[in-house]
Amino acid sequence: MADQISDLLRLPDGRVDLAGHDPRATPGFPSKKAKQEQPALMAELATELDGLQERLFAAGRAQPRTAPSVLVILQGMDTSGKGGVIRHAAGLMDPQGVAIKGFKAPTKQELTHDFLWRIRREVPEPGMIGIFDRSQYEDVLVVRVDRLVPKREWETRFERINDFETELAESGTKIIKCFLNVSYTEQGERLMERLDRPDKYWKYNPGDLQVRAKWDQYQLAYTDVLRRCNTEVAPWYVIPSDRKWYRNWAVAQLLTEQLRSLNLGWPPADFDVAEQRRALLQTM
């Protein structure tokens, strides 16, 4: 590819205009046949991604104090495809090296702590890839739109989130933040599909319509999140998500590129290989 997907989808610094990001775009997709070619391209990615993840996992086993880790944050409106990305992109990797955490409304215990307490408990260990289905950003999105805390409280959280992410990055965690950008029209069609298909009823929640009614407020809230928490160590990537096949490929490609950038080799043996070979031969 002439351009890396990391560069094409990275949100520029400064003013954010979500209306200027086309949810149906397919930047960087390397085939004019598009959807028909996606399965073959995903299969190619799977081979490389699996190898890169294994190197990361091996580093965690061999050097548990110094090995890097990776944190993928998935944010987006209902139906934007957080679960689909986990299934189709993260599903290309060995599950023993992936830790997935979904953040819902805080529990009573979590509410007795600082808003970052439950997030800190789930950050990936060295050698692991952590995937957050929603994240610390819920505490500047939902609480703002639904007026669950005063403005003066959620306003202070942007800088605290930036500080937290800087701390994570300095400790060796590569942060990949994906905003899954779905359109209002596409969201409506996906919700209708859930009502049309009995095998999708379980995905539908009548409360989804209450959230959909606040679409404009959420767009404003996300605009602030993307503008105020788009840092050098933890930039946002805006993933066009109206086309599911592109969304899944783009996140898988992004993850592959970011893992490549770690430049990990295989950990060297901490034993005498020749001696162990001789000892093994004696048992055969």
Side-chain angles (χ1 to χ4, degrees), residues 64-123:
R65 293 187 178 182
T66 59
S69 60
V70 173
L71 174 59
V72 180
I73 292 175
L74 302 176
Q75 284 287 158
M77 295 293 287
D78 292 335
T79 79
S80 61
K82 297 177 288 294
V85 165
I86 291 171
R87 185 179 309 108
H88 296 287
L92 301 177
M93 299 181 290
D94 185 342
Q96 71 175 331
V98 180
I100 300 170
K101 175 64 180 179
F103 290 96
K104 301 184 183 297
T107 64
K108 289 183 179 180
Q109 180 193 26
E110 289 169 346
L111 286 172
T112 65
H113 295 273
D114 176 75
F115 80 100
L116 286 172
W117 179 79
R118 65 176 184 161
I119 307 296
R120 289 182 181 278
R121 289 163 57 90
E122 303 296 338
V123 297

Side-chain angles (χ1 to χ4, degrees), residues 173-233:
T173 299
K174 178 174 282 292
I175 304 168
I176 307 169
K177 300 189 301 193
C178 300
F179 172 60
L180 306 183
N181 187 28
V182 69
S183 68
Y184 183 80
T185 299
E186 180 67 19
Q187 185 196 60
E189 292 176 359
R190 291 179 185 177
L191 289 173
M192 185 61 73
E193 181 186 24
R194 294 177 182 181
L195 292 172
D196 288 340
R197 293 177 50 178
D199 63 326
K200 299 286 187 180
Y201 288 169
W202 65 275
K203 282 189 170 186
Y204 188 85
N205 183 336
D208 292 342
L209 294 185
Q210 297 174 22
V211 177
R212 180 169 164 81
K214 301 171 185 175
W215 180 272
D216 290 340
Q217 293 120 292
Y218 269 105
Q219 295 302 292
L220 288 173
Y222 265 113
T223 296
D224 263 0
V225 161
L226 296 173
R227 177 177 61 86
R228 298 176 66 173
C229 295
N230 187 36
T231 64
E232 187 64 30
V233 296

